Amino acid sequence: MKSLIRQRLEAIVKELYGFVPEAYNLEVPREKAHGDYATNIAFLLAKNLKRKPDDIAQEIANKLSDAYLQAQALRGFINFKFKEELLKEEFVKLLENPQLYFFEKVKEPLYMMVEFVSANPTGPLHVGHGRGAVVGDVLARILERFGHKVVREYYINDAGYQVYLLGLSVLYRYYELYGKEDLQLKEVFEREGYRGEYIKELAREVKELYGSSLLEKDKEEAIDFLREFATKKLLEEIKATLQEFGVFFDSWVSEKGLHQEGLVEEVLKELERRCYIYEQEGALWFKSSTFGDDKDRVVRRSDGTYTYFAGDIAYHYHKYRRGFQKVINLWGSDHHGYEKRLMASLKALGIPEDWLVVEFVQMVKIFKEGQEVRMSKRTGDFVSLQELLQEVGKDAVRFVFLTKTSDTPLDFDIDLVKKKSSENPVFYVQYAHARIRGVFREVKERYGIDADSSDLRPYIRELDSQEDIELIKKCLFLKDVYEGVLDSFSPHLITYSLIELAKDFHHYYNHHRVMVEDKKVMLSRLTLFKGVELTLKTAFEILGISAPERM
RNA sequence: GUCCCCGUAGCUCAGUAGGAUAGAGCGCGAGAUUCCUAAUCUCGAGGUCGGAGGUUCGAAUCCUCCCGGGGACGCCA
């Protein structure tokens, strides 16, 4: 709907004044009386043309109005109102094929990647990961609907010290099972080890499978073996949780694999060739400060091992060479300071600046009985995503994770989300769908009219009350919302619009009955409900939540 | 100490590249069911948009300073 205005507006402005100002607004005005959309373009033109905004707005408005669109100049603003004919024609398109209507294919589809979750395989997923998972998943779904080719990737940090500590922690617990003490091991474990209950479980599993054979083994060898064993197990667990959460990946890339394939060495050589690498105190440094980072960073330690950063440069260079035209990374907010560094490395490698977009996903704080539940992987005291899913269900978790912009912290009140009441927005929205399905069942039973298979399009004509038109608009508006998500990578906009749509629907439902004497009115309202149903269903598919028949 | 994010109704937050009279949900108060699901609806109270300057036709939004909250600053990942 918005792009419809935009096209016409720009054409006319260009015709009248020879240019279109860059940063003009076209948005839904706060005040309903100001129409469906409004623009400030006349103010911007006024500056350039040295004329009164009022006059310019008037000029444009006069040229713009036609059978479909009413444009009105008011104190320098131009207000647009869609005429009923246009709204009804658009609504027919929606009824015929919601997918086609809501997601117009982009002209130039891109080969894209969304990299998300990428949690270290050192423990179960926590709720913060869950938030990233939903945001990434929904983003990927939207990009796909608009015609982009999207690969969802999970980067596995299975190299380096953290997974070494994982192996060490399992070994410590394993020794414990046999009453074996190792002071050096104990010292490291108590300082940095993973203490969650799941480590003990892994140790027990090892005992069951391999008995006491690891007691004889060299300690480092045993840690190596257990690291391998534990990351594999935990990764399986992560995959299972994600699957239960409705999140799937096309591709899993291992950090260790990058090292083994020599990609890390290769990219460092490339950086060296470009003269961005130097040696100091026995370590190799990357000159990230030349590209806006605060200081230079180590890529190879003095002991000869590579840093996580080195692996990450290689990973992204590899992504680039795999042919992705645009990459979106979803990172936990604790990686905020890391962005500059990585961007610097990409610049150094000659990769275009807008190739990579990093979106940050902030913390989720869990509240239970009014108390914050503290989370720490080290001490093992945390609510896992698995537990949360079991407690409140997939639909509620996914929806709530999308009710705020991902870059602000989210408070998740378990007790509130468990409530099946209006306090809980997901039920409010799903209830609208269930109510419509209920009406359809009833109409079929009483009158033998099947809303799912009948051609209802002709009855749109009969809809003419203010509230009919408002509801139609709310459905059509979702199209603009999806396009907004495509531009801003902010899937949370969808939940807001859905709550508004549901609100208008519930209002309508309480004021107008479908099953009335006048058949024409009945059929027209059935048509309206069909459109709302399809709009909701399409949105639920994108959000990955269910569209219940009854509640 | 340096850098980043945030401060909007009692609470949790929207406010989409500076726009028109400041938005929603929850909570609170009052009401609605002979009729397709009351998990709903209707009405109401509630605000110096953290503070002070500045930029301009116009500021919650941009700039400077201050106050308050959170995060990041490893040869960890």
Side-chain angles (χ1 to χ4, degrees):
Chain A
M1 303 300 288
K2 189 174 176 175
S3 54
L4 235 144
I5 299 178
R6 190 182 286 283
Q7 279 170 21
R8 302 226 30 221
L9 178 66
E10 289 188 3
I12 282 173
V13 167
K14 193 155 190 202
E15 186 193 320
L16 282 171
Y17 312 107
F19 72 102
V20 178
E22 257 176 51
Y24 73 94
N25 276 345
L26 182 60
E27 56 188 19
V28 180
R30 264 202 274 269
E31 189 64 41
K32 245 192 194 146
H34 293 140
D36 299 319
Y37 274 101
T39 180
N40 65 344
I41 200 164
F43 287 99
L44 302 172
L45 285 163
K47 257 184 200 153
N48 280 295
L49 301 170
K50 306 227 177 336
R51 292 178 51 198
K52 279 188 194 163
D54 268 344
D55 298 345
I56 296 171
Q58 198 62 250
E59 255 173 36
I60 298 172
N62 287 342
K63 276 216 134 187
L64 214 51
S65 287
D66 63 16
Y68 285 142
L69 197 64
Q70 180 199 323
Q72 198 178 23
L74 185 68
R75 278 177 288 165
F77 291 93
I78 305 169
N79 299 328
F80 301 98
K81 204 161 187 158
F82 299 115
K83 295 200 177 163
E84 271 185 42
E85 287 72 28
L86 174 69
L87 295 170
K88 287 178 181 173
E89 273 179 32
E90 294 285 306
F91 202 62
V92 169
K93 286 187 206 163
L94 191 163
L95 287 169
E96 283 169 348
N97 190 333
Q99 296 297 330
L100 235 57
Y101 175 73
F102 284 118
F103 310 104
E104 258 175 69
K105 297 277 184 270
V106 292
K107 280 185 206 113
E108 289 171 31
L110 298 176
Y111 184 44
M112 299 179 81
M113 173 192 287
V114 182
E115 185 221 318
F116 59 119
V117 187
S118 297
N120 289 359
T122 52
L125 292 177
H126 60 66
V127 289
H129 297 129
R131 190 180 188 189
V134 180
V135 173
D137 181 52
V138 174
L139 205 53
R141 288 180 198 219
I142 295 227
L143 294 170
E144 271 170 355
R145 295 296 162 107
F146 278 103
H148 294 298
K149 169 94 183 105
V150 181
V151 169
R152 299 139 203 249
E153 188 156 286
Y154 188 119
Y155 181 50
I156 309 162
N157 305 132
D158 53 1
Y161 193 56
Q162 295 301 330
V163 281
Y164 173 82
L165 276 178
L166 174 72
L168 182 142
S169 303
V170 177
L171 185 65
Y172 178 81
R173 293 300 190 197
Y174 174 82
Y175 280 181
E176 219 172 43
L177 292 175
Y178 286 97
K180 178 174 173 177
E181 279 247 4
D182 182 307
L183 286 178
Q184 193 229 337
L185 195 65
K186 189 177 178 184
E187 197 259 324
V188 180
F189 177 82
E190 278 175 358
R191 198 179 56 227
E192 305 178 286
Y194 292 101
R195 289 173 206 196
E197 204 50 41
Y198 65 94
I199 299 291
K200 288 185 187 169
E201 274 165 40
L202 284 167
R204 279 194 288 272
E205 219 171 312
V206 172
K207 185 183 172 184
E208 228 166 82
L209 284 167
Y210 304 99
S212 61
S213 63
L214 267 75
L215 292 172
E216 324 296 320
K217 261 195 180 162
D218 169 69
K219 207 166 63 187
E220 290 305 318
E221 231 172 83
I223 288 174
D224 206 48
F225 175 80
L226 291 174
R227 189 199 63 207
E228 203 78 16
F229 177 84
T231 50
K232 195 169 163 242
K233 279 277 170 198
L234 289 168
L235 214 54
E236 277 167 18
E237 202 178 300
I238 286 171
K239 276 186 198 183
T241 304
L242 287 170
Q243 186 169 354
E244 200 177 315
F245 203 32
V247 177
F248 299 90
F249 287 88
D250 305 299
S251 161
W252 301 74
V253 169
S254 145
E255 184 187 359
K256 219 172 93 189
L258 293 175
H259 285 94
Q260 283 166 352
E261 286 168 44
L263 290 169
V264 181
E265 280 167 46
E266 193 186 324
V267 80
L268 293 187
K269 270 198 194 118
E270 178 59 27
L271 283 172
E272 199 166 4
R273 199 179 64 78
R274 290 169 181 256
C275 304
Y276 297 124
I277 297 281
Y278 62 91
E279 197 174 335
Q280 193 182 316
E281 294 162 24
L284 280 190
W285 297 71
F286 164 57
K287 284 192 199 170
S288 49
S289 61
T290 25
F291 299 96
D293 196 9
D294 309 333
K295 53 182 179 184
D296 295 343
R297 308 287 173 174
V298 170
V299 285
R300 199 182 67 200
R301 301 184 189 95
S302 45
D303 68 3
T305 59
Y306 295 106
T307 59
Y308 172 77
F309 180 43
D312 221 16
I313 300 174
Y315 175 44
H316 285 87
Y317 189 51
H318 184 49
K319 274 186 191 174
Y320 186 68
R321 295 212 301 195
R322 283 156 73 193
F324 291 104
Q325 292 163 291
K326 181 118 195 156
V327 172
I328 300 166
N329 283 1
L330 293 183
W331 284 354
S333 57
D334 52 335
H335 287 68
H336 221 289
Y338 190 77
E339 186 184 7
K340 269 188 191 168
R341 198 178 311 183
L342 184 66
M343 287 298 188
S345 74
L346 298 183
K347 260 186 245 174
L349 289 163
I351 297 171
E353 231 170 301
D354 60 351
W355 174 77
L356 175 70
V357 175
V358 180
E359 291 283 320
F360 291 94
V361 181
Q362 291 257 22
M363 303 253 307
V364 177
K365 277 188 199 166
I366 294 288
F367 288 84
K368 212 172 174 177
E369 285 151 22
Q371 291 281 314
E372 185 184 346
V373 183
R374 290 247 155 229
M375 286 176 287
S376 160
K377 209 187 261 184
R378 283 276 164 71
T379 60
D381 171 27
F382 61 95
V383 181
S384 71
L385 183 59
Q386 184 72 34
E387 286 168 319
L388 189 70
L389 276 173
Q390 267 156 18
E391 205 156 341
V392 305
K394 182 178 95 170
D395 287 0
V397 176
R398 289 187 65 116
F399 196 93
V400 172
F401 279 165
L402 291 168
T403 50
K404 287 177 67 171
T405 57
S406 58
D407 66 358
T408 58
L410 178 77
D411 290 343
F412 195 111
D413 185 331
I414 288 190
D415 306 306
L416 191 128
V417 174
K418 270 166 85 175
K419 272 191 206 161
K420 299 195 169 183
S421 75
S422 57
E423 291 167 68
N424 189 346
V426 62
F427 287 101
Y428 185 78
V429 175
Q430 286 180 319
Y431 185 44
H433 184 269
R435 271 184 149 174
I436 293 174
R437 296 306 299 174
V439 171
F440 288 176
R441 276 194 302 272
E442 197 67 22
V443 168
K444 196 171 180 182
E445 195 159 305
R446 284 198 215 171
Y447 303 92
I449 299 169
D450 186 350
D452 292 326
S453 58
S454 313
D455 182 8
L456 296 163
R457 287 175 296 177
Y459 302 102
I460 293 172
R461 255 178 281 135
E462 312 295 328
L463 295 166
D464 52 8
S465 81
Q466 193 56 41
E467 278 157 331
D468 291 326
I469 301 301
E470 275 308 308
L471 207 44
I472 287 179
K473 268 190 211 168
K474 276 276 159 44
C475 292
L476 300 178
F477 184 64
L478 257 294
K479 183 183 166 86
D480 292 352
V481 174
Y482 293 131
E483 282 165 13
V485 174
L486 191 64
D487 291 340
S488 63
F489 305 131
S490 315
H492 78 284
L493 299 171
I494 301 168
T495 51
Y496 269 88
S497 307
L498 281 185
I499 291 168
E500 273 197 23
L501 173 60
K503 189 179 159 189
D504 276 18
F505 171 77
H506 287 308
H507 171 88
Y508 190 97
Y509 186 92
N510 272 274
H511 292 85
H512 307 279
R513 307 191 60 74
V514 172
M515 282 163 255
V516 291
E517 291 285 316
D518 189 335
K519 263 277 168 61
K520 269 188 180 169
V521 172
M522 180 165 93
L523 284 161
S524 71
R525 288 185 179 162
L526 223 46
T527 313
L528 184 59
F529 277 30
K530 190 72 205 170
V532 176
E533 184 213 346
L534 291 172
T535 305
L536 289 172
K537 201 181 237 165
T538 309
F540 290 167
E541 275 167 24
I542 289 285
L543 299 183
I545 65 177
S546 61
E549 288 290 313
R550 38 167 67 88
M551 287 172 80

